[in-house]
Amino acid sequence: MAGRGEGPDFVEALARGLDVLTCFDADHPAMTLSEVAAAAGLARPTARRLLLTLEELGHVRSAGGTFSLTPRVLSLGMAYVGALGLWDVARPHLEALVARTGESSSMAQLDGSDVVYVARVSVPKLIALRVEIGTRFPAVQTSQGKVLLAALPPGELAGTLAEPSRSGLPPYIGRSPEQLRDELTEVRARGWALADEELAPGVRSVAVPVRDGTGAVRAAMNVTVHAAETPVDRLLGEHLPALLRTAGDVSADWARWQSRPHVEVDRSRSAG
C-alpha cells in the first residue's frame, strides 16, 4: 500500500502507519503480525515496529498474538467531522426528520469513488445493511453518492469514477457508463437521487445535497426505507419533501456556523 507519494516532502513512515490502521475492518477486526504485514505489503519487522508504536499511542491493542484497533482511532475521523461543524449542526435536524418519518437518516461525504458516513440517526428496522459513522460504500450504488457525484465538474467526475472502491464490495454491474452519466445529469437537474435496491436487496433510499456557506455541495443527506414496507411513490411523495426542507435547514445553519467569528488565542499570554 505504501509508496504512493512522489513529492519531496512525502513521509513514507507515516503512510505506512496509516496503511496499517486501514488494514483492519469489519471482516478483519483482529489480525496477527503476519496478516497485517501481508495486508499492508510490509516486511514483518516494519509491520511490528509500526504496530508497537500504534499500541504505545493507544490506537492498537494486542492480546493472544493478535492486534486490533481501539476506540481511540475514532478521534482521527471525529476530528475531521468536528472541524467541519457538520455533525453538531445536523444532529437536531436529523433527529427531527427521523421522528417525523419513522425512518433512518444519514449524511455522507465523498472520498474517492466511495461515500463515507459522517452522521446518522437510525431506527430499529430489519434492513440487511449495517451502517455506522465511518461506513464506506461505492458512491454509484447509493443515493447520497449519486448526489455527490452529480455535483462534480465533468473532468473531476471521470477521475473520481476511475478510482477503485475501498468499500470491499464487488464491482457494481447494474448499469453502463452511459446510463450512469445520463442518470447523474438528471440528478443534477432535479436536485435529488434515488437508489432502489442497488446497494443491497430490500434497501431503498432517496438523497438530496447539503451545501456549505459558498453554495457548494459538500455532503448529502438521505432517508432509507425497507423496500417491502415503503414503495417508491411514498418515498418520493411523503419523505422527499421533508428531506428537502431538512437539508435546506442544515445548509442554512451550517452556513451561519461557518461565518461565525473565530476567536484568536494569544498563545504568548495563555502560556504564561
Side-chain angles (χ1 to χ4, degrees), residues 22 36 78 238 269:
T22 56
V36 171
M78 293 312 295
E238 296 182 16
R269 291 184 180 180

Side-chain angles (χ1 to χ4, degrees), residues 81-94:
V81 176
L84 288 175
L86 188 52
W87 172 230
D88 288 336
V89 168
R91 183 189 331 221
H93 296 290
L94 282 173

Side-chain angles (χ1 to χ4, degrees), residues 32-52:
T32 64
L33 170 59
S34 296
E35 290 171 336
V36 171
L42 300 171
R44 277 175 53 93
T46 302
R48 178 179 177 276
R49 289 195 300 272
L50 292 170
L51 284 166
L52 293 179

Side-chain angles (χ1 to χ4, degrees), residues 12-268:
E12 185 69 27
L14 176 59
R16 288 174 173 173
L18 294 174
D19 284 343
V20 167
L21 288 178
T22 56
C23 287
F24 298 90
D25 56 27
D27 295 324
H28 305 88
M31 292 189 287
T32 64
L33 170 59
S34 296
E35 290 171 336
V36 171
L42 300 171
R44 277 175 53 93
T46 302
R48 178 179 177 276
R49 289 195 300 272
L50 292 170
L51 284 166
L52 293 179
T53 300
L54 290 168
E55 183 176 20
E56 189 168 338
L57 292 172
H59 294 298
V60 169
R61 65 166 63 94
S62 61
T66 63
F67 295 87
S68 59
L69 300 182
T70 72
R72 178 168 288 190
V73 298
L74 292 173
S75 64
L76 301 175
M78 293 312 295
Y80 167 71
V81 176
L84 288 175
L86 188 52
W87 172 230
D88 288 336
V89 168
R91 183 189 331 221
H93 296 290
L94 282 173
E95 291 173 345
L97 178 64
V98 169
R100 178 175 179 178
T101 63
E103 305 290 354
S104 298
S105 180
S106 306
M107 294 185 64
Q109 294 186 291
L110 199 62
D111 182 18
S113 62
D114 296 329
V115 292
V116 177
Y117 283 71
V118 297
R120 178 167 174 80
V121 177
S122 61
V123 295
K125 290 207 172 185
L126 293 177
I127 293 182
L129 201 62
R130 179 179 170 182
V131 179
E132 301 168 343
I133 293 178
T135 294
R136 177 184 294 272
F137 290 130
V140 296
Q141 292 174 244
T142 69
S143 58
Q144 292 170 304
K146 293 176 189 179
V147 166
L148 296 168
L149 291 171
L152 296 177
E156 188 175 345
L157 173 62
T160 298
L161 292 175
E163 295 187 32
S165 170
R166 289 181 284 155
S167 67
L169 296 180
Y172 183 61
I173 56 175
R175 67 172 71 83
S176 68
E178 293 74 20
Q179 290 172 322
L180 176 61
R181 183 190 62 230
D182 292 343
E183 183 177 7
L184 294 180
T185 299
E186 186 175 356
V187 168
R188 190 179 305 112
R190 70 189 180 192
W192 56 268
L194 176 71
D196 191 5
E197 300 189 83
E198 297 169 39
L199 186 60
V203 178
R204 177 176 288 155
S205 69
V206 64
V208 299
V210 175
R211 302 176 184 274
D212 65 10
T214 69
V217 176
R218 294 284 302 279
M221 176 185 293
N222 77 351
V223 170
T224 302
V225 300
H226 197 296
E229 296 179 355
T230 307
V232 172
D233 289 348
R234 183 182 172 200
L235 178 61
L236 300 182
E238 296 182 16
H239 298 332
L240 177 57
L243 178 62
L244 285 165
R245 287 191 294 271
T246 301
D249 291 340
V250 171
S251 297
D253 284 355
W254 194 20
R256 284 190 287 269
W257 184 90
Q258 290 176 314
S259 65
R260 77 198 191 289
H262 291 271
V263 179
E264 295 293 335
V265 178
D266 188 334
R267 297 188 181 276
S268 61

